[in-house]
Amino acid sequence: MTERGPLWRPVYVASLPRQGLRMVIEPTQAELSALAGWLDLASVESFHAEVSVTAVRPGEFQATGSIRASAHQTCVVSLEPFPVEVAEPIDVRLALPDNLGPVGRREVERTLDDPDPPDLIEDGIIDAGMLAVEALALGLPPFPRKPGIEMPEDARETTESPFAALAALKKPQAE
């Protein structure tokens, strides 16, 4: 069963119109709170997403669009919340399990130049809300630091290698 995220917006591929489907996502206050908890944010003040889902061939789909959000992240240094603005595109290929082909069904050797295989559609449902949530998560700084906050001196990188202590043990002791 498809896991339901904080902005559950199902698109049933069996009943997708021929011209595709365009969806605007404007969460309720309760959904904004759930989204903040889901992404471990101090708060999400606003979120707007536009997602279009179209069939590109039988069993394969393309989801495109964008998100804009205003939120508060917690600074990793001071532990104080601070505001962040995020704007990210959405561009995801999806396929039903029968349409994944050999690349999607098993491990094959791939290079960085190879296109990513399509995401799997579970239970015939594309969760447009989850695609928007993933775009927001990708747009957030992974180690958020409040502007003007510096790392404490003892936490900054040193020029000494972490293996320096091991190297000192290897040197012969002078008597």
Side-chain angles (χ1 to χ4, degrees):
M1 171 112 196
T2 303
E3 181 182 359
R4 292 185 180 199
L7 302 180
W8 173 247
R9 302 295 191 277
V11 175
Y12 298 92
V13 298
S15 58
L16 186 68
R18 174 168 275 186
Q19 72 277 12
L21 177 71
R22 182 177 175 275
M23 182 181 296
V24 175
I25 301 172
E26 294 281 351
T28 64
Q29 197 61 44
E31 289 174 320
L32 289 175
S33 295
L35 180 58
W38 185 275
L39 295 175
D40 198 25
L41 296 169
S43 65
V44 178
E45 285 75 37
S46 67
F47 183 90
H48 175 87
E50 295 181 14
V51 181
S52 295
V53 179
T54 55
V56 292
R57 61 179 65 91
E60 293 186 28
F61 303 86
Q62 186 75 32
T64 57
S66 62
I67 64 108
R68 286 188 327 273
S70 297
H72 276 81
Q73 274 191 293
T74 303
C75 175
V76 296
V77 178
S78 68
L79 302 180
E80 298 174 283
F82 68 98
V84 292
E85 299 291 324
V86 178
E88 286 290 317
I90 297 170
D91 190 4
V92 181
R93 291 179 351 166
L94 303 116
L96 292 168
D98 294 343
N99 292 73
L100 287 177
V103 173
R105 288 194 199 115
R106 60 181 166 77
E107 292 289 324
V108 295
E109 192 167 320
R110 299 170 33 88
T111 67
L112 292 176
D113 295 328
D114 292 338
D116 289 337
D119 289 353
L120 177 66
I121 298 172
E122 295 180 23
D123 302 327
I125 301 169
I126 296 171
D127 184 355
M130 185 55 82
L131 295 176
V133 170
E134 289 172 355
L136 173 58
L138 289 171
L140 291 168
F143 301 104
R145 195 172 336 157
K146 187 176 179 177
I149 299 292
E150 295 295 323
M151 292 293 287
E153 283 295 322
D154 59 348
R156 292 188 182 168
E157 288 186 35
T158 64
T159 56
E160 187 174 307
S161 165
F163 298 104
L166 293 174
L169 291 174
K170 191 174 179 182
K171 290 181 184 175
Q173 298 286 331
E175 292 189 42

